[in-house]
C-alpha cells in the first residue's frame, strides 16, 4: 500500500509540475532548457499531464479495494479525481490565466481532502 501511494504522489506531482512549467516554456526554449513543455509544446505537455493524473486517479482505487475501505474512502477518491479533472478544465494551451488556480488551489484542496477522507476511512471502515 505505501508503494502504491508513493507512485500516486509521484505521478500526481509530476502531472501538476508539468502544468506549472507551461508558463515558462518560452523562456526554457530560449535558454535551451529541456522542460517537457519546451520540448514537446504546450498541447502535448498537457496531454502528458493528463496521462499522469489519470494514472494517479486509477492508482488511488487500488488501496481502497485491497483494504476493503468504506464509503468515506470512496468519497475521497471521487473528490480527488474530480479535482484532477477540474484542474485540466482550467488550463488550456492558449490560455494559462488560471494556472495558479489549477496549480495551487486545486492541488491544495485535493491533497487535504483526500488525506482527510482516507484517514477517516482507515478508522471508521
Amino acid at each position: 500500500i505505501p508503494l502504491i501511494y508513493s507512485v500516486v504522489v509521484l505521478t500526481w506531482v509530476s502531472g501538476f509540475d508539468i502544468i506549472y512549467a507551461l508558463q515558462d516554456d518560452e523562456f526554457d526554449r530560449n535558454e535551451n532548457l529541456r522542460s517537457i513543455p519546451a520540448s514537446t509544446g504546450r498541447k502535448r505537455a498537457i496531454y502528458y499531464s493528463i496521462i499522469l493524473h489519470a494514472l494517479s486517479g486509477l492508482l488511488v482505487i487500488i488501496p481502497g479495494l485491497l483494504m476493503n475501505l468504506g464509503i468515506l474512502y470512496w468519497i475521497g477518491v471521487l473528490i480527488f479525481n474530480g479535482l484532477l479533472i477540474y484542474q485540466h478544465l482550467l488550463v488550456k494551451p492558449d490560455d494559462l490565466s488560471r494556472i495558479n488556480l489549477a496549480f495551487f488551489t486545486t492541488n491544495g484542496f485535493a491533497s487535504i481532502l483526500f488525506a482527510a477522507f482516507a484517514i477517516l476511512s482507515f478508522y471508521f471502515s
Side-chain angles (χ1 to χ4, degrees):
I1 301 297
L3 291 175
I4 294 168
Y5 282 128
S6 296
V7 176
V8 168
V9 171
L10 177 70
T11 56
W12 173 50
V13 170
S14 298
F16 72 68
D17 193 49
I18 291 170
I19 290 173
Y20 195 68
L22 290 169
Q23 57 195 343
D24 297 325
D25 65 332
E26 188 176 322
F27 175 84
D28 291 351
R29 261 192 304 284
N30 291 338
E31 296 299 318
N32 221 13
L33 300 173
R34 303 213 185 268
S35 68
I36 291 174
S39 298
T40 66
R42 287 182 180 179
K43 194 172 189 178
R44 187 167 281 158
I46 290 172
Y47 178 71
Y48 292 148
S49 177
I50 289 169
I51 291 171
L52 288 163
H53 281 161
L55 186 55
S56 297
L58 291 172
L59 286 171
V60 294
I61 293 170
I62 296 170
L65 295 173
L66 292 176
M67 296 173 62
N68 198 27
L69 297 171
I71 189 71
L72 290 173
Y73 186 82
W74 298 110
I75 291 170
V77 167
L78 287 173
I79 291 170
F80 181 75
N81 284 324
L83 288 170
L84 290 181
I85 292 167
Y86 177 64
Q87 178 171 262
H88 288 281
L89 295 173
L90 291 173
V91 178
K92 306 289 180 219
D94 57 344
D95 180 12
L96 303 179
S97 64
R98 297 186 288 180
I99 209 161
N100 283 336
L101 175 61
F103 182 74
F104 293 111
T105 307
T106 305
N107 281 305
F109 282 123
S111 62
I112 291 168
L113 291 173
F114 180 71
F117 278 95
I119 291 166
L120 287 171
S121 73
F122 297 150
Y123 289 104
F124 297 110
S125 287

